[in-house]
């Protein structure tokens, strides 16, 4: 039973399209995150939600909009996709700040914009 | 601005020997440090953490050492096993609230027989 599940695992789309990535966690955690792993392999935080409330919003283009319908779900919608959006996107969850036990990550969504 | 640096992109170790992975940080406000392990096509998995009030934390074959004055931490794996071959990420965060984890670029460890 997957703790943090993301769909789809792979996404290939054309520039200018709009796409969504879904994330669900069954750990009962109260905080969820979106991280982006770029071509240099750095994992950089994009957004964080605590109990459906946005608590971290990094410098991310407005084309990226997260939505958390409940504390178990955090979806990422991307408008007008650009070539530079190609990356692996990871969803994660934690209880509180995740300082001692870390975050639990999903397996990632590889987005390729052509 | 890289606040967490892993200067060795790769490390090769013989099975049974010690693996030492290093990490440096620049932000003196960091209070919590974590190591993650990542296999290809999978998400990172939490390995071990340490808070700034300690200088060592052990969990089985894994030990993390923290040197606050040098802003340096290391992960020791003893003995190394082929299944340890993966990318290891160091991460850090200030304490309190819902601060974000800041990750290094990772070190690819290869353990060969």
């Amino acid at each position: 039973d997957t703790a943090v599940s993301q769909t789809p695992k792979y996404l290939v789309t054309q520039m200018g399209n709009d796409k969504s990535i879904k994330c669900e966690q069954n750990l009962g955690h109260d905080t969820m995150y979106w991280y982006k792993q770029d071509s240099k392999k750095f994992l950089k935080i994009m957004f964080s939600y605590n109990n459906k409330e946005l608590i971290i919003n990094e410098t991310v283009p407005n084309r990226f909009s997260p939505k958390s319908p409940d504390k178990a779900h955090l979806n990422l919608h991307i408008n007008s996709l650009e070539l530079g959006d190609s990356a692996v996107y990871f969803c994660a969850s934690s209880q509180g700040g995740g300082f001692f036990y870390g975050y639990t990550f999903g397996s990632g969504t590889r987005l390729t914009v052509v | 601005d890289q606040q967490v640096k892993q200067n060795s992109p790769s490390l090769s170790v013989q099975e049974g020997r010690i693996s030492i992975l290093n990490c440096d940080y620049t932000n003196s406000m960091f209070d919590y440090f974590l190591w993650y392990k990542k296999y290809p096509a999978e998400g990172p998995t939490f390995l071990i953490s340490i808070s700034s009030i300690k200088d060592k934390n052990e969990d089985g074959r894994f030990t993390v050492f923290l040197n606050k004055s040098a802003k340096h931490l290391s992960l020791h794996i003893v003995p190394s096993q082929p299944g340890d071959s993966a990318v290891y990420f160091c991460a850090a965060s200030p304490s309190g609230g819902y601060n974000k984890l800041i990750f290094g670029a990772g070190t690819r460890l290869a353990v060969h027989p």
Side-chain angles (χ1 to χ4, degrees):
Chain A
D1 194 20
T2 306
V4 179
S5 59
Q6 296 178 228
T7 54
K9 192 167 179 67
Y10 300 97
L11 186 53
V12 181
T13 188
Q14 291 188 324
M15 282 175 56
N17 283 349
D18 303 339
K19 290 293 178 185
S20 292
I21 305 172
K22 295 185 176 182
C23 179
E24 176 182 4
Q25 56 97 1
N26 63 6
L27 298 166
H29 288 166
D30 60 4
T31 308
M32 295 185 72
Y33 312 83
W34 278 110
Y35 272 80
K36 177 181 179 181
Q37 186 177 33
D38 59 22
S39 57
K40 293 183 180 178
K41 305 303 181 187
F42 282 101
L43 279 158
K44 294 183 181 176
I45 190 165
M46 301 172 69
F47 303 102
S48 176
Y49 273 74
N50 174 259
N51 284 317
K52 303 193 300 177
E53 186 177 338
L54 182 66
I55 54 172
I56 293 175
N57 185 352
E58 288 294 285
T59 308
V60 176
N62 290 338
R63 299 181 293 102
F64 290 79
S65 54
K67 281 193 172 51
S68 182
D70 56 60
K71 74 173 192 176
H73 295 83
L74 179 62
N75 303 322
L76 183 66
H77 188 76
I78 316 170
N79 289 327
S80 303
L81 278 155
E82 301 177 357
L83 292 176
D85 298 331
S86 296
V88 182
Y89 293 84
F90 288 99
C91 176
S93 71
S94 70
Q95 186 57 34
F99 302 121
F100 292 108
Y101 302 109
Y103 302 170
T104 302
F105 281 86
S107 58
T109 295
R110 181 175 293 277
L111 171 65
T112 303
V113 182
V114 297
Chain B
D1 176 27
Q2 277 181 258
Q3 298 185 63
V4 178
K5 300 177 186 179
Q6 294 178 256
N7 292 320
S8 299
S10 63
L11 176 67
S12 182
V13 170
Q14 192 169 20
E15 182 178 3
R17 300 286 186 115
I18 184 171
S19 295
I20 300 177
L21 297 108
N22 293 305
C23 178
D24 296 296
Y25 61 96
T26 58
N27 189 338
S28 58
M29 301 299 291
F30 287 150
D31 269 343
Y32 288 91
F33 304 89
L34 301 89
W35 284 93
Y36 280 80
K37 175 179 176 179
K38 185 182 181 304
Y39 293 118
E42 294 184 13
T45 55
F46 171 71
L47 207 51
I48 192 169
S49 65
I50 189 168
S51 73
S52 59
I53 62 172
K54 301 177 79 172
D55 55 18
K56 177 182 173 182
N57 189 25
E58 280 182 86
D59 185 1
R61 298 186 296 114
F62 302 90
T63 303
V64 55
F65 295 92
L66 175 61
N67 182 333
K68 280 197 74 176
S69 60
K71 293 191 177 70
H72 177 84
L73 65 154
S74 60
L75 175 69
H76 292 210
I77 306 173
V78 183
S80 302
Q81 300 173 354
D84 296 329
S85 298
V87 176
Y88 289 79
F89 289 96
C90 171
S93 176
S95 64
Y98 294 96
N99 289 292
K100 54 187 181 275
L101 281 182
I102 297 174
F103 285 82
T107 296
R108 183 177 299 277
L109 172 67
V111 180
H112 53 88

